[in-house]
Amino acid sequence: MTGTQGSQDSEEAKASGCATLPLNPQTERLCNKTSICSRSYFLLVMVFFHVYLINVIALLFYVHYSSGQDDDSRSRDAPGADHSRINSRGASSKVDYQRDFSLPRVEGIRVGHVQKVSLTPGKSHHMRTLSLKPLLFEIPEFLSEDECHVVMQLAQLKGLMESQLMIQEDHEELVKELNLSPEEIFNLLDINQDGQLQHTEILTHSRVRDGIWLTPDTLKEIYAGLKADKNGDGLLSLEEFKLLSNDAFQRFLQQQGVKRSQLVRNSRHTWLYQGEGAHKVLQDIKERVIQLTRLPPAIVDLSEPLQVVRYEEGGHYHGHHDSGPVYPETACTHTRLAANTSTPFETSCRYITVLFYLNSVEGGGETAFPVADNRTYDEVCLIQNDVDLLDTRKNCDKSNLRVTPTKGTAVFWYNYLSDGKGWVGEQDEYALHGGCVVTHGTKWVANKWINIDPDYQRQARYQQLVSQQPQDSDDNSATKSSDTHSPDIHQDL
């Protein structure tokens, strides 16, 4: 069953109608023309320029004379390549991996375009483009009824756990490690830099981190309970903000008692190993994903296991991204050890999401893409006039695109853009999505995420390191190792 297109024009008007945010006053130029043109300033610049020039010349000589020796010993292994050619000295963080491999990317052509794909011998599937922002496709009958039944049975045998964590215990430690003052935290939250925290600014930054879904009404209750808003104007000043602890909101709600409907995510899940020794159906699904995405088997093999999720009646998952943006200060969860970094920030780097519907839901449970194919994207504009596009319990009908769960159907999309050079680029913000509330019955889905680090060197180093690890022939140990390697970081985004 195909996705249904919502009222896109109204959402575009909201997104494009937001005023441009003012520049941070701290970024304005502080020096005037006279100081720049002064003689002493000119002499200082010239001295630094000559020192810089001498260093560049010396560096060029060094590279010229040492390049001949390095070329013979440099490893040429790359993602998807034959891992039998591994340097005998082991993986080193100093190895420079050649960019001799590109990531294939399926073309969407236009919304509604249908193309044939061969996923299994002797059978063709029809893949339809649902949107271009994000690049999103739908493939009916990707799984057979028997395969859907087997996956659900295996998940129940493995045992499902609660998907939502109530609190991140290491949040206080992270703040201490970053050594952020209350003023610095306030400035990060104050998006428009007006010296006041509006409801939308608090909501935008706190929901996913805290795990409890805040609304304007719950914020009013919190302000009253904590006596945070002294003057009752609905805004928090810096002075009022300083009186609150970092987790004051969440602890207040926990004391009041948190309902499952108040969580960002209300579901149960488990992970199913798909490697050697796994159930044939699980291995067949993985092989089909390889054919669908056209990626090298090595990349898919080293990605996360299959996640199976069950939503009971009332279950939902508010709007979120499967992957986070990657900055120089962050590391991908799956390659963090290979990156050899001590940064406190990490995020899941899920290049592709493949979502399988294991049953047809009796009521609700659609997958909503609030800003699919929107003209513009602005995080602040997701909450306008008390209409919160991220709220999948109330406003799924206002999303630009909704995909109805149909047994056996798969949808897949790219969470990152291309960098134009055959590798992973920036995060695709239009890949924002959520699971609408299940109004009747139960919803079963499975997720297959393809993990690729936007940093080519880190991804190549990671694949080389993993290829050198001894294989465990015990299936149970392999399953346990897979689950440990792939924690449920989805809920933290």
Side-chain angles (χ1 to χ4, degrees), residues 268-281:
R268 298 177 65 84
H269 77 277
T270 192
W271 300 92
L272 297 179
Y273 173 70
Q274 292 183 283
E276 185 177 354
H279 194 285
K280 184 179 185 303
V281 168

Side-chain angles (χ1 to χ4, degrees), residues 430-486:
Y430 293 89
L432 183 73
H433 65 285
C436 301
V437 62
V438 177
T439 58
H440 191 56
T442 303
K443 172 185 174 183
W444 283 87
V445 298
N447 297 296
K448 180 61 179 178
W449 287 295
I450 312 300
N451 304 109
I452 303 179
D453 196 319
D455 186 317
Y456 183 93
Q457 298 296 321
R458 287 201 301 244
Q459 179 69 24
R461 190 179 306 126
Y462 162 72
Q463 290 191 208
Q464 186 183 50
L465 285 172
V466 174
S467 69
Q468 292 177 321
Q469 299 298 318
Q471 298 296 322
D472 192 341
S473 58
D474 183 7
D475 294 343
N476 293 328
S477 298
T479 304
K480 182 178 179 181
S481 175
S482 249
D483 290 345
T484 304
H485 174 68
S486 304

Side-chain angles (χ1 to χ4, degrees), residues 355-417:
L355 172 65
F356 312 97
Y357 296 112
L358 302 178
N359 74 322
S360 297
V361 184
E362 297 179 53
E366 301 94 340
T367 304
F369 294 81
V371 293
D373 283 327
N374 221 47
R375 186 175 305 160
T376 58
Y377 176 88
D378 190 337
E379 188 177 25
V380 179
C381 292
L382 295 173
I383 307 174
Q384 291 288 316
N385 301 323
D386 293 331
V387 175
D388 186 354
L389 293 180
L390 300 180
D391 193 332
T392 57
R393 292 184 60 84
K394 295 181 179 179
N395 299 315
C396 263
D397 60 327
K398 297 179 177 61
S399 292
N400 286 353
L401 176 68
R402 285 175 293 154
V403 183
T404 302
T406 304
K407 180 186 288 188
T409 295
V411 290
F412 92 94
W413 64 88
Y414 293 89
N415 294 304
Y416 291 92
L417 303 171

Side-chain angles (χ1 to χ4, degrees), residues 12 50 98 100 109 114 140 188 217 229 336 397 420 448:
E12 290 181 357
H50 282 83
Q98 297 293 316
D100 56 2
I109 311 299
V114 178
L188 290 173
D217 290 337
D229 184 15
R336 181 166 185 172
D397 60 327
K448 180 61 179 178

